[in-house]
């Protein structure tokens, strides 16, 4: 029985890591594109990304902070507390990047874009404050895992603007896997974690879709 429980908890940890690598930022073409990584309009496109990432994740409390208040499991509490402290630094970085890369580039359909991202932020807030046990934790885990890929985009900005780069100190993949395995004590909790992770990653992919469409609209204008 113990072996079965261990195998099941390992499966949910593998699933969360796999979701982040396939369904999150790492699996989207735009973050790796020339438009953000060396093209003629890269700084403007980075300004666009920094601004909208600020809309999603630049406010306190955020996804991880809400999850900290919604997840009483002792093993998760330590991970969430460390992740919340680390993400406070990421929030500060987002603000500095948004300032350093300049104003939001003028783009056709601006009002509709703003409304769409505000809806995404609302969806993330609802997800992170869900009363379904495990949902908020799953969304926080997905954010921490996916943020590593997001940082590859953000780390391109210091090479182009005058700010000091900083290391990301969010909990790493192995530490996150251990927490997921430890707290996965029921099938319903596992399903809720997976749901929370999937929904957060869907919002991130939606953001990259929007940013890609905005870059294409500016190119045509």
């Amino acid at each position: 029985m113990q072996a079965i429980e261990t195998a099941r908890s390992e499966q949910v940890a593998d699933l969360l890591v796999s979701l982040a690598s396939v369904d999150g930022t790492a699996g989207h073409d735009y973050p790796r594109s020339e438009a953000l990584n060396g093209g003629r309009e890269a700084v403007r496109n980075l300004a666009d990304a920094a601004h909208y990432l600020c809309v999603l994740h630049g406010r306190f409390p955020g996804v991880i902070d809400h999850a900290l208040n919604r997840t009483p499991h002792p093993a998760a509490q330590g991970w969430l507390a460390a992740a919340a402290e680390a993400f406070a630094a990421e929030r500060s970085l987002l603000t500095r990047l948004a300032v350093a890369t300049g104003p939001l580039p003028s783009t056709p359909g601006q009002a509709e874009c703003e409304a769409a991202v505000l809806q995404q932020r609302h969806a993330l807030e609802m997800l992170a404050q869900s009363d379904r046990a495990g949902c908020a934790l799953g969304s926080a885990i997905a954010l921490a895992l996916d943020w590593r890929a997001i940082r590859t985009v953000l780390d391109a900005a210091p090479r182009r603007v005058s700010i000091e780069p900083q290391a990301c100190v969010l909990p790493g993949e192995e530490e996150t896997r251990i927490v997921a395995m430890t707290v996965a004590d029921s099938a319903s909790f596992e399903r809720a974690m997976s749901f929370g992770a999937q929904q957060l990653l869907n919002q991130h992919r939606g953001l990259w879709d929007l940013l890609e469409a905005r870059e294409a609209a500016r190119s045509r204008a």
Side-chain angles (χ1 to χ4, degrees):
M1 180 63 71
Q2 181 63 42
I4 294 174
E5 292 295 321
T6 299
R8 191 183 70 183
S9 63
E10 288 177 348
Q11 286 176 353
V12 74
D14 289 342
L15 174 61
L16 293 173
V17 172
S18 177
L19 285 172
S21 63
V22 175
D23 294 339
T25 299
H28 199 288
D29 290 335
Y30 185 62
R32 304 190 303 273
S33 70
E34 184 72 7
L36 286 169
N37 296 282
R40 184 169 55 87
E41 298 293 327
V43 172
R44 293 183 74 209
N45 297 331
L46 284 167
D48 212 32
H51 173 84
Y52 281 117
L53 283 166
C54 270
V55 175
L56 279 194
H57 294 298
R59 294 201 313 178
F60 175 85
V63 169
I64 297 173
D65 308 295
H66 285 306
L68 180 59
N69 294 325
R70 295 273 174 175
T71 312
H73 197 294
Q77 281 280 300
W79 184 93
L80 285 165
E85 182 177 354
F87 203 81
E90 298 302 305
R91 209 178 284 121
S92 175
L93 174 64
L94 277 178
T95 301
R96 290 163 52 215
L97 285 174
V99 172
T101 53
L104 186 69
S106 177
T107 308
Q110 185 63 44
E112 292 83 355
C113 292
E114 292 284 348
V117 178
L118 287 173
Q119 288 177 351
Q120 287 187 311
R121 184 173 73 188
H122 178 68
L124 291 180
E125 289 171 347
M126 296 295 291
L127 190 66
Q129 297 179 77
S130 171
D131 290 329
R132 183 181 177 188
C135 183
L137 178 59
S139 64
I141 286 175
L143 175 56
L145 291 171
D146 199 44
W147 199 257
R148 297 287 177 174
I150 291 173
R151 275 300 299 268
T152 64
V153 177
L154 300 181
D155 286 345
R159 298 196 297 268
R160 298 177 171 84
V161 295
S162 299
I163 65 170
E164 285 292 323
Q166 67 182 52
C168 179
V169 294
L170 281 165
E173 180 181 310
E174 189 57 35
E175 185 180 351
T176 302
R177 283 175 54 84
I178 291 171
V179 169
M181 290 170 60
T182 303
V183 301
D185 54 5
S186 70
S188 62
F189 197 92
E190 292 173 10
R191 287 194 297 271
M193 278 202 302
S194 298
F195 175 81
Q198 288 172 329
Q199 293 303 307
L200 180 132
L201 294 170
N202 285 344
Q203 297 302 325
H204 280 186
R205 286 189 69 87
L207 178 65
W208 293 118
D209 287 343
L210 177 67
L211 291 169
E212 186 174 31
R214 283 173 57 80
E215 188 273 332
R218 288 192 297 274
S219 299
R220 292 192 299 267

